Amino acid sequence: MSTATQTAQHGLSEHSHGAGVPIQTRYERLRSTNVADFPPVSPREEQWRYLSADRLGGLDADTLAEFVGDLAVTHTDGVTTAWVGEENAAFGGAGIPEERPSAAAWGSAKQAYLVTVPGNQKSEVQIALTSESADPSAVHIIIDAKPFAEATVILDHKGHAVLGENVEIIVGDEAQLTVISIQDWDDKSIHASTQMARLGRNSRLKHLVVSLGGKTVRVASSTEFTQPGGDTEMLGMYFADAGQYLENRLYVDHAVPNCKSRVTYKGALQGDKAHTVWVGDVLIRMAAEGTDTYELNRNLLLTDGARADSVPNLEIETGKIEGAGHASASGRFDDEQLFYLQARGITEIEARRLVVRGFLNEIIQQIDNEEIRERLSNSIEAELARSGS
């Protein structure tokens, strides 16, 4: 087994009698950069419980083409960018794949696009990733925020693609980083993105995922605390139409003491066979005393025929924590809210739109960029107008 491969290969671990048994804790999952170490995508594996292999469009194949679309970058002074190979210290600095499509993308993208954010200044970076190719392809992006950096990085996906993506996020000691990932593909695109963050001492990460366009979009986000004092806020917003599949999987690994995490994801669904999946895993290890964590998922079903699956998981190995909890709910419009608005002369359709806007606006307002906020608000308006909701 290579040095990049850890225990629990193929979802099994060895107990004292030598027989394979199911994984007992989240951190036992196989991690490897070698796609051959992973079995075929199957609903027998928990991470593929809701998504069939045929919806991946070939992103689980042994090899993929390298991304040939356009990657346009704008940034403030002091930020540097470069294509780097695995010999670079940042390559793999935030983690390695836990799933077959991520490993396929890792091995197929021979170089990674490294964005280095300097310390002791405010910076902003916008990466516009645009494609018009239906060939299954791979891209690898690394965001390296140096100690004492303060920055916002926006990763904007547009056009048509069948794309496997790995995004590494390295947050140095005392750094404050916001990363916004927008999936606004056309309605035939397929996107599987693994976004791994590793936080240093007293660092702060705000990670925001917005998924609106695409036939199948799956974003697996993880945060690992490596030193005390870390703070992460993982936010997400999604809006699924008929036949669209949007999945978000999160993992927060509290491996060290005195760190804080907050997870808040909200989604709206409309149309026949619109399907969203949210799975949130939080692990508090034995050493992680003083942990403070909470995760929340809310889904608003606007029409019949839509389905939202929501699965919060909390694993605690020590009782010496500040607090831990989770909540999830999926449901229709609140009749009392609609009645209240209609009683004040607002039509039913406009009342529904006001409820949806208010429901999702909590996430949109977390984005400091006014242009992006306006664009996302307009996208929601277009979704609502399309359905007449």
Side-chain angles (χ1 to χ4, degrees):
M1 185 175 291
S2 68
T3 57
T5 303
Q6 298 180 358
T7 58
Q9 187 168 357
H10 302 298
L12 298 176
S13 59
E14 297 296 318
H15 61 28
S16 59
H17 300 288
V21 297
I23 288 174
Q24 300 299 309
T25 188
R26 179 63 172 76
Y27 61 75
E28 288 183 345
R29 279 190 189 171
L30 163 71
R31 295 185 182 187
S32 175
T33 60
N34 184 0
V35 67
D37 287 339
F38 294 91
V41 171
S42 166
R44 292 191 300 271
E45 294 184 89
E46 193 285 326
Q47 58 264 51
W48 303 109
R49 177 179 170 189
Y50 300 98
L51 179 58
S52 59
D54 61 318
R55 289 207 69 132
L56 286 170
L59 293 178
D60 56 337
D62 290 344
T63 58
L64 309 173
E66 290 199 74
F67 178 70
V68 294
D70 184 39
L71 201 156
V73 182
T74 58
H75 57 77
T76 51
D77 292 342
V79 175
T80 61
T81 63
W83 289 98
V84 299
E86 60 182 7
E87 72 283 352
N88 189 284
F91 204 106
I96 59 176
E98 289 188 345
E99 299 174 341
R100 183 177 177 87
S102 178
W106 191 287
S108 299
K110 300 304 181 184
Q111 289 190 310
Y113 191 73
L114 172 62
V115 178
T116 304
V117 181
N120 299 301
Q121 71 172 57
K122 290 186 177 181
S123 304
E124 184 168 329
V125 183
Q126 294 196 37
I127 305 171
L129 193 152
T130 308
S131 171
E132 297 301 334
S133 173
D135 295 330
S137 64
V139 69
H140 191 157
I141 296 171
I142 304 172
I143 302 165
D144 187 4
K146 295 301 184 182
F148 297 96
E150 184 177 349
T152 297
V153 179
I154 299 173
L155 183 57
D156 197 1
H157 304 85
K158 299 179 182 178
H160 179 70
V162 179
L163 182 65
E165 176 184 57
N166 287 297
V167 179
E168 296 190 69
I169 304 166
I170 303 167
V171 189
D173 293 350
E174 306 287 346
Q176 298 184 47
L177 178 66
T178 296
V179 176
I180 303 169
S181 179
I182 303 171
Q183 289 64 242
D184 200 9
W185 301 106
D186 71 12
D187 58 9
K188 293 184 179 179
S189 293
I190 299 172
H191 185 199
S193 179
T194 296
Q195 304 192 10
M196 301 169 284
R198 183 167 288 173
L199 275 62
R201 182 179 297 274
N202 298 330
S203 63
R204 175 174 171 78
L205 171 67
K206 179 188 286 187
H207 183 264
L208 199 155
V209 175
V210 178
S211 296
L212 299 172
K215 177 183 177 182
T216 301
V217 176
R218 183 180 190 270
V219 181
S221 308
S222 64
T223 296
E224 178 186 356
F225 295 104
T226 66
Q227 295 291 332
D231 187 326
T232 187
E233 188 174 15
M234 304 180 75
L235 305 166
M237 184 194 79
Y238 45 92
F239 201 132
D241 276 324
Q244 194 174 18
Y245 180 92
L246 304 178
E247 179 172 335
N248 289 280
R249 284 183 174 261
L250 295 93
Y251 175 39
V252 182
D253 185 358
H254 283 272
V256 295
N258 302 320
C259 292
K260 178 181 178 180
S261 64
R262 291 291 184 270
V263 176
T264 305
Y265 270 62
K266 288 189 169 186
L269 302 83
Q270 64 184 12
D272 187 43
K273 295 183 179 179
H275 189 188
T276 65
V277 173
W278 179 90
V279 179
D281 293 335
V282 175
L283 170 63
I284 304 173
R285 302 200 194 207
M286 183 66 70
E289 297 180 3
T291 290
D292 182 3
T293 182
Y294 194 84
E295 57 177 348
L296 171 71
N297 178 231
R298 294 278 188 263
N299 298 289
L300 187 58
L301 285 74
L302 307 181
T303 64
D304 293 332
R307 171 184 170 183
D309 289 290
S310 181
V311 186
N313 299 306
L314 182 58
E315 186 176 358
I316 304 174
E317 295 181 346
T318 176
K320 298 179 181 179
I321 59 175
E322 291 295 318
H326 57 68
S328 71
S330 302
R332 304 297 296 270
F333 282 104
D334 186 323
D335 290 335
E336 290 187 6
Q337 284 183 309
L338 293 178
F339 177 80
Y340 176 87
L341 293 169
Q342 289 179 264
R344 280 147 182 80
I346 300 173
T347 65
E348 181 180 357
I349 288 179
E350 183 57 27
R352 288 175 176 269
R353 291 181 178 180
L354 284 172
V355 171
V356 176
R357 291 186 200 118
F359 178 73
L360 298 178
N361 196 54
E362 177 188 357
I363 305 300
I364 293 177
Q365 291 305 309
Q366 296 291 325
I367 300 173
D368 292 333
N369 186 295
E370 184 176 352
E371 180 182 348
I372 296 295
R373 281 203 313 269
E374 183 177 354
R375 173 183 148 198
L376 296 179
S377 295
N378 290 338
S379 295
I380 292 171
E381 292 295 330
E383 296 277 6
L384 293 171
R386 186 178 301 123
S387 69
S389 295

